[in-house]
Amino acid sequence: MREPQPSEHPKWFGPSALLTPANLVTLARIAAAPVAFAMMLDNDGLGSWGLLVLWFVLAATDFVDGYLARKQGSTRSGAFLDPLADKVLVLGGFITLAVVGRFPWAAVILTIVRELGISAFRSYWGRRGLSVPASELAKWKTFIQLGAVGWTTWPTFTDWRWLSDSWLWASVVIAWVTALQYVVAGSRATSTTGESVKT
């Protein structure tokens, strides 16, 4: 008898599952995020080793919940919670560092406007049956955004503002490039009659 291929093994959880290991990791990321923001405020945006470790764990576990979801089965709740956790970390970190004067408000506002606009765009087309998946560049965007905050948490590089600022502005450029990609992909996925089609 032919041995089943890895992709043929049944998943542990169905699409409607809620309390999966992947979702629990994601919820833990969201719950711990305010602790990191409070530490940034207490330190006036300066790095500390405790904050560095916490932020590294929060950023790295983004890969953990993704791995668990692929291995054990993707869920609709996970598809909602995972990007939500990324937005909480990125926007919360950006806003906190802007409040203490470490990040320029212009970059933060551009990021917020982009995230709100694309979220509305995807929601609009999602209700009409159109799927606009994230591009590879969009996945790198999140990494660079988390990295921009991460450099400020690292005591060795706290005074190297050019380093965190360069990552910050690079993330802004990539964010708007990927926003254009979403709009173009959405336009190409519609029929000539203006009705959406699934991709």
Tab-separated table of all heavy atoms in Angstrom, residues 26-71:
chain	number	residue	atom	x	y	z
A	26	THR	N	-1.289	33.233	19.244
A	26	THR	CA	-1.653	34.553	18.731
A	26	THR	C	-2.299	35.410	19.814
A	26	THR	O	-1.975	36.599	19.960
A	26	THR	CB	-2.613	34.421	17.536
A	26	THR	OG1	-2.005	33.604	16.530
A	26	THR	CG2	-2.928	35.783	16.939
A	27	LEU	N	-3.211	34.820	20.577
A	27	LEU	CA	-3.867	35.557	21.667
A	27	LEU	C	-2.866	35.965	22.730
A	27	LEU	O	-2.978	37.057	23.317
A	27	LEU	CB	-4.978	34.703	22.270
A	27	LEU	CG	-6.204	34.484	21.375
A	27	LEU	CD1	-7.139	33.448	22.003
A	27	LEU	CD2	-6.951	35.799	21.153
A	28	ALA	N	-1.879	35.121	22.993
A	28	ALA	CA	-0.842	35.463	23.974
A	28	ALA	C	-0.020	36.653	23.487
A	28	ALA	O	0.368	37.522	24.283
A	28	ALA	CB	0.068	34.256	24.219
A	29	ARG	N	0.236	36.726	22.180
A	29	ARG	CA	0.958	37.862	21.608
A	29	ARG	C	0.180	39.158	21.828
A	29	ARG	O	0.753	40.185	22.211
A	29	ARG	CB	1.202	37.668	20.112
A	29	ARG	CG	2.087	36.499	19.750
A	29	ARG	CD	2.180	36.349	18.249
A	29	ARG	NE	2.963	37.424	17.662
A	29	ARG	CZ	2.715	37.957	16.470
A	29	ARG	NH1	1.686	37.539	15.755
A	29	ARG	NH2	3.490	38.918	15.998
A	30	ILE	N	-1.132	39.094	21.572
A	30	ILE	CA	-1.971	40.282	21.739
A	30	ILE	C	-2.022	40.704	23.207
A	30	ILE	O	-1.934	41.892	23.536
A	30	ILE	CB	-3.384	40.014	21.200
A	30	ILE	CG1	-3.333	39.769	19.680
A	30	ILE	CG2	-4.323	41.175	21.511
A	30	ILE	CD1	-4.658	39.331	19.077
A	31	ALA	N	-2.141	39.723	24.114
A	31	ALA	CA	-2.249	40.024	25.536
A	31	ALA	C	-0.955	40.617	26.097
A	31	ALA	O	-0.991	41.469	26.994
A	31	ALA	CB	-2.623	38.754	26.307
A	32	ALA	N	0.189	40.178	25.568
A	32	ALA	CA	1.481	40.652	26.085
A	32	ALA	C	1.921	41.970	25.469
A	32	ALA	O	2.814	42.636	26.006
A	32	ALA	CB	2.558	39.584	25.841
A	33	ALA	N	1.303	42.362	24.351
A	33	ALA	CA	1.707	43.586	23.670
A	33	ALA	C	1.641	44.822	24.572
A	33	ALA	O	2.591	45.625	24.585
A	33	ALA	CB	0.865	43.793	22.420
A	34	PRO	N	0.563	45.044	25.350
A	34	PRO	CA	0.514	46.235	26.214
A	34	PRO	C	1.653	46.298	27.226
A	34	PRO	O	2.059	47.392	27.628
A	34	PRO	CB	-0.844	46.112	26.913
A	34	PRO	CG	-1.673	45.293	25.985
A	34	PRO	CD	-0.723	44.311	25.379
A	35	VAL	N	2.162	45.130	27.635
A	35	VAL	CA	3.297	45.116	28.566
A	35	VAL	C	4.519	45.742	27.894
A	35	VAL	O	5.234	46.555	28.489
A	35	VAL	CB	3.612	43.676	29.020
A	35	VAL	CG1	4.832	43.661	29.941
A	35	VAL	CG2	2.406	43.062	29.715
A	36	ALA	N	4.739	45.377	26.641
A	36	ALA	CA	5.871	45.955	25.895
A	36	ALA	C	5.691	47.451	25.703
A	36	ALA	O	6.652	48.228	25.866
A	36	ALA	CB	6.006	45.259	24.536
A	37	PHE	N	4.470	47.890	25.401
A	37	PHE	CA	4.225	49.322	25.200
A	37	PHE	C	4.454	50.095	26.499
A	37	PHE	O	5.013	51.197	26.490
A	37	PHE	CB	2.806	49.551	24.697
A	37	PHE	CG	2.459	48.790	23.451
A	37	PHE	CD1	1.150	48.395	23.195
A	37	PHE	CD2	3.447	48.462	22.519
A	37	PHE	CE1	0.830	47.689	22.044
A	37	PHE	CE2	3.133	47.757	21.368
A	37	PHE	CZ	1.823	47.358	21.139
A	38	ALA	N	4.030	49.522	27.613
A	38	ALA	CA	4.226	50.173	28.906
A	38	ALA	C	5.712	50.298	29.235
A	38	ALA	O	6.158	51.327	29.772
A	38	ALA	CB	3.503	49.390	30.006
A	39	MET	N	6.488	49.288	28.906
A	39	MET	CA	7.933	49.341	29.147
A	39	MET	C	8.583	50.412	28.283
A	39	MET	O	9.513	51.104	28.721
A	39	MET	CB	8.558	47.973	28.875
A	39	MET	CG	8.120	46.894	29.855
A	39	MET	SD	8.751	45.240	29.443
A	39	MET	CE	10.518	45.448	29.807
A	40	MET	N	8.103	50.586	27.045
A	40	MET	CA	8.633	51.643	26.185
A	40	MET	C	8.349	53.016	26.779
A	40	MET	O	9.209	53.906	26.760
A	40	MET	CB	8.005	51.540	24.784
A	40	MET	CG	8.386	50.314	24.003
A	40	MET	SD	7.491	50.248	22.405
A	40	MET	CE	7.805	48.551	21.913
A	41	LEU	N	7.143	53.197	27.301
A	41	LEU	CA	6.780	54.478	27.922
A	41	LEU	C	7.606	54.738	29.176
A	41	LEU	O	8.068	55.859	29.400
A	41	LEU	CB	5.286	54.484	28.256
A	41	LEU	CG	4.319	54.542	27.076
A	41	LEU	CD1	2.883	54.364	27.554
A	41	LEU	CD2	4.457	55.868	26.317
A	42	ASP	N	7.783	53.714	29.984
A	42	ASP	CA	8.555	53.870	31.217
A	42	ASP	C	10.003	54.233	30.934
A	42	ASP	O	10.640	54.961	31.698
A	42	ASP	CB	8.505	52.580	32.049
A	42	ASP	CG	7.153	52.364	32.698
A	42	ASP	OD1	6.379	53.345	32.797
A	42	ASP	OD2	6.857	51.223	33.091
A	43	ASN	N	10.522	53.703	29.821
A	43	ASN	CA	11.926	53.959	29.467
A	43	ASN	C	12.095	55.161	28.550
A	43	ASN	O	13.195	55.413	28.064
A	43	ASN	CB	12.528	52.729	28.785
A	43	ASN	CG	12.609	51.531	29.706
A	43	ASN	OD1	12.550	51.667	30.918
A	43	ASN	ND2	12.742	50.351	29.130
A	44	ASP	N	10.993	55.880	28.286
A	44	ASP	CA	11.039	57.014	27.357
A	44	ASP	C	11.590	56.616	25.994
A	44	ASP	O	12.303	57.373	25.335
A	44	ASP	CB	11.878	58.162	27.927
A	44	ASP	CG	11.181	58.858	29.081
A	44	ASP	OD1	9.926	58.899	29.075
A	44	ASP	OD2	11.867	59.341	29.990
A	45	GLY	N	11.242	55.396	25.574
A	45	GLY	CA	11.677	54.939	24.263
A	45	GLY	C	13.082	54.395	24.220
A	45	GLY	O	13.570	54.012	23.158
A	46	LEU	N	13.751	54.346	25.363
A	46	LEU	CA	15.105	53.809	25.409
A	46	LEU	C	15.028	52.293	25.579
A	46	LEU	O	14.094	51.755	26.166
A	46	LEU	CB	15.898	54.434	26.550
A	46	LEU	CG	16.048	55.960	26.489
A	46	LEU	CD1	16.786	56.463	27.708
A	46	LEU	CD2	16.778	56.371	25.210
A	47	GLY	N	16.042	51.607	25.084
A	47	GLY	CA	16.033	50.163	25.135
A	47	GLY	C	16.408	49.615	26.499
A	47	GLY	O	17.019	50.295	27.326
A	48	SER	N	16.007	48.394	26.739
A	48	SER	CA	16.405	47.651	27.929
A	48	SER	C	16.458	46.185	27.550
A	48	SER	O	15.795	45.754	26.599
A	48	SER	CB	15.420	47.870	29.083
A	48	SER	OG	14.178	47.244	28.815
A	49	TRP	N	17.234	45.421	28.284
A	49	TRP	CA	17.382	44.013	27.920
A	49	TRP	C	16.085	43.247	28.111
A	49	TRP	O	15.764	42.347	27.334
A	49	TRP	CB	18.520	43.389	28.729
A	49	TRP	CG	19.845	43.982	28.379
A	49	TRP	CD1	20.626	44.797	29.163
A	49	TRP	CD2	20.546	43.845	27.134
A	49	TRP	NE1	21.767	45.168	28.482
A	49	TRP	CE2	21.748	44.600	27.240
A	49	TRP	CE3	20.281	43.164	25.947
A	49	TRP	CZ2	22.662	44.677	26.201
A	49	TRP	CZ3	21.204	43.241	24.909
A	49	TRP	CH2	22.380	43.995	25.044
A	50	GLY	N	15.344	43.596	29.143
A	50	GLY	CA	14.056	42.942	29.352
A	50	GLY	C	13.090	43.219	28.217
A	50	GLY	O	12.388	42.320	27.738
A	51	LEU	N	13.056	44.479	27.783
A	51	LEU	CA	12.181	44.857	26.673
A	51	LEU	C	12.630	44.187	25.386
A	51	LEU	O	11.794	43.741	24.587
A	51	LEU	CB	12.179	46.378	26.509
A	51	LEU	CG	11.369	46.949	25.340
A	51	LEU	CD1	9.908	46.522	25.419
A	51	LEU	CD2	11.472	48.476	25.325
A	52	LEU	N	13.929	44.107	25.173
A	52	LEU	CA	14.454	43.459	23.970
A	52	LEU	C	14.006	42.001	23.904
A	52	LEU	O	13.535	41.531	22.858
A	52	LEU	CB	15.985	43.538	23.954
A	52	LEU	CG	16.681	42.745	22.843
A	52	LEU	CD1	16.314	43.293	21.465
A	52	LEU	CD2	18.191	42.746	23.049
A	53	VAL	N	14.141	41.293	25.022
A	53	VAL	CA	13.742	39.880	25.050
A	53	VAL	C	12.245	39.742	24.784
A	53	VAL	O	11.816	38.894	23.991
A	53	VAL	CB	14.111	39.242	26.408
A	53	VAL	CG1	13.496	37.849	26.531
A	53	VAL	CG2	15.623	39.163	26.566
A	54	LEU	N	11.442	40.586	25.435
A	54	LEU	CA	9.996	40.517	25.249
A	54	LEU	C	9.615	40.800	23.807
A	54	LEU	O	8.792	40.079	23.210
A	54	LEU	CB	9.291	41.496	26.188
A	54	LEU	CG	7.764	41.599	26.043
A	54	LEU	CD1	7.116	40.238	26.244
A	54	LEU	CD2	7.196	42.630	27.010
A	55	TRP	N	10.192	41.842	23.220
A	55	TRP	CA	9.841	42.189	21.849
A	55	TRP	C	10.299	41.113	20.878
A	55	TRP	O	9.600	40.799	19.908
A	55	TRP	CB	10.442	43.540	21.456
A	55	TRP	CG	9.899	44.038	20.152
A	55	TRP	CD1	10.495	43.992	18.926
A	55	TRP	CD2	8.608	44.609	19.933
A	55	TRP	NE1	9.671	44.512	17.970
A	55	TRP	CE2	8.494	44.911	18.566
A	55	TRP	CE3	7.541	44.913	20.783
A	55	TRP	CZ2	7.365	45.477	18.009
A	55	TRP	CZ3	6.405	45.490	20.232
A	55	TRP	CH2	6.328	45.758	18.863
A	56	PHE	N	11.460	40.531	21.131
A	56	PHE	CA	11.940	39.457	20.266
A	56	PHE	C	10.977	38.271	20.308
A	56	PHE	O	10.659	37.682	19.272
A	56	PHE	CB	13.333	38.999	20.696
A	56	PHE	CG	13.860	37.833	19.903
A	56	PHE	CD1	14.426	38.026	18.651
A	56	PHE	CD2	13.765	36.529	20.398
A	56	PHE	CE1	14.895	36.947	17.907
A	56	PHE	CE2	14.228	35.446	19.667
A	56	PHE	CZ	14.797	35.662	18.422
A	57	VAL	N	10.509	37.926	21.493
A	57	VAL	CA	9.562	36.818	21.628
A	57	VAL	C	8.258	37.140	20.901
A	57	VAL	O	7.702	36.303	20.173
A	57	VAL	CB	9.285	36.505	23.112
A	57	VAL	CG1	8.130	35.515	23.253
A	57	VAL	CG2	10.537	35.956	23.777
A	58	LEU	N	7.764	38.363	21.070
A	58	LEU	CA	6.516	38.760	20.410
A	58	LEU	C	6.652	38.720	18.890
A	58	LEU	O	5.717	38.342	18.182
A	58	LEU	CB	6.106	40.164	20.861
A	58	LEU	CG	5.640	40.300	22.306
A	58	LEU	CD1	5.406	41.760	22.660
A	58	LEU	CD2	4.380	39.481	22.549
A	59	ALA	N	7.809	39.136	18.391
A	59	ALA	CA	8.022	39.126	16.940
A	59	ALA	C	8.240	37.708	16.422
A	59	ALA	O	7.689	37.325	15.386
A	59	ALA	CB	9.219	40.008	16.582
A	60	ALA	N	9.040	36.920	17.143
A	60	ALA	CA	9.380	35.579	16.673
A	60	ALA	C	8.188	34.636	16.695
A	60	ALA	O	8.074	33.741	15.842
A	60	ALA	CB	10.509	34.998	17.518
A	61	THR	N	7.291	34.819	17.651
A	61	THR	CA	6.141	33.923	17.739
A	61	THR	C	5.163	34.127	16.579
A	61	THR	O	4.242	33.320	16.403
A	61	THR	CB	5.395	34.098	19.076
A	61	THR	OG1	5.229	35.500	19.364
A	61	THR	CG2	6.152	33.441	20.208
A	62	ASP	N	5.353	35.167	15.783
A	62	ASP	CA	4.560	35.322	14.567
A	62	ASP	C	4.812	34.143	13.631
A	62	ASP	O	3.900	33.668	12.948
A	62	ASP	CB	4.909	36.642	13.878
A	62	ASP	CG	4.058	36.899	12.650
A	62	ASP	OD1	2.898	36.428	12.626
A	62	ASP	OD2	4.531	37.560	11.716
A	63	PHE	N	6.059	33.646	13.629
A	63	PHE	CA	6.390	32.498	12.801
A	63	PHE	C	5.882	31.204	13.440
A	63	PHE	O	5.534	30.259	12.739
A	63	PHE	CB	7.907	32.427	12.594
A	63	PHE	CG	8.483	33.626	11.903
A	63	PHE	CD1	9.050	34.655	12.631
A	63	PHE	CD2	8.440	33.732	10.523
A	63	PHE	CE1	9.572	35.774	11.998
A	63	PHE	CE2	8.959	34.844	9.875
A	63	PHE	CZ	9.532	35.871	10.620
A	64	VAL	N	5.832	31.189	14.778
A	64	VAL	CA	5.384	29.987	15.489
A	64	VAL	C	3.913	29.703	15.211
A	64	VAL	O	3.542	28.573	14.867
A	64	VAL	CB	5.618	30.130	17.002
A	64	VAL	CG1	5.036	28.939	17.750
A	64	VAL	CG2	7.104	30.264	17.304
A	65	ASP	N	3.067	30.739	15.367
A	65	ASP	CA	1.638	30.476	15.127
A	65	ASP	C	1.364	30.149	13.662
A	65	ASP	O	0.476	29.353	13.344
A	65	ASP	CB	0.753	31.623	15.628
A	65	ASP	CG	1.089	32.963	15.003
A	65	ASP	OD1	1.808	32.999	14.005
A	65	ASP	OD2	0.617	33.988	15.537
A	66	GLY	N	2.144	30.737	12.762
A	66	GLY	CA	1.985	30.400	11.349
A	66	GLY	C	2.371	28.954	11.067
A	66	GLY	O	1.685	28.252	10.310
A	67	TYR	N	3.455	28.502	11.696
A	67	TYR	CA	3.896	27.117	11.518
A	67	TYR	C	2.855	26.142	12.069
A	67	TYR	O	2.522	25.144	11.435
A	67	TYR	CB	5.237	26.911	12.228
A	67	TYR	CG	5.650	25.462	12.326
A	67	TYR	CD1	6.210	24.794	11.239
A	67	TYR	CD2	5.472	24.753	13.516
A	67	TYR	CE1	6.575	23.464	11.318
A	67	TYR	CE2	5.833	23.417	13.607
A	67	TYR	CZ	6.387	22.780	12.514
A	67	TYR	OH	6.739	21.462	12.605
A	68	LEU	N	2.340	26.450	13.262
A	68	LEU	CA	1.337	25.579	13.870
A	68	LEU	C	0.072	25.509	13.023
A	68	LEU	O	-0.535	24.445	12.880
A	68	LEU	CB	1.007	26.071	15.281
A	68	LEU	CG	2.110	25.921	16.324
A	68	LEU	CD1	1.693	26.593	17.629
A	68	LEU	CD2	2.441	24.454	16.565
A	69	ALA	N	-0.321	26.658	12.467
A	69	ALA	CA	-1.527	26.683	11.635
A	69	ALA	C	-1.342	25.828	10.381
A	69	ALA	O	-2.253	25.105	9.978
A	69	ALA	CB	-1.875	28.122	11.265
A	70	ARG	N	-0.185	25.915	9.764
A	70	ARG	CA	0.059	25.110	8.561
A	70	ARG	C	0.119	23.620	8.889
A	70	ARG	O	-0.345	22.787	8.107
A	70	ARG	CB	1.360	25.550	7.883
A	70	ARG	CG	1.283	26.912	7.218
A	70	ARG	CD	2.506	27.184	6.388
A	70	ARG	NE	3.721	27.204	7.196
A	70	ARG	CZ	4.201	28.290	7.807
A	70	ARG	NH1	3.540	29.444	7.707
A	70	ARG	NH2	5.300	28.249	8.513
A	71	LYS	N	0.677	23.283	10.048
A	71	LYS	CA	0.863	21.888	10.429
A	71	LYS	C	-0.434	21.250	10.931
A	71	LYS	O	-0.735	20.094	10.617
A	71	LYS	CB	1.941	21.772	11.508
A	71	LYS	CG	2.261	20.349	11.947
A	71	LYS	CD	3.361	20.355	12.989
A	71	LYS	CE	3.673	18.937	13.474
A	71	LYS	NZ	4.190	18.080	12.393
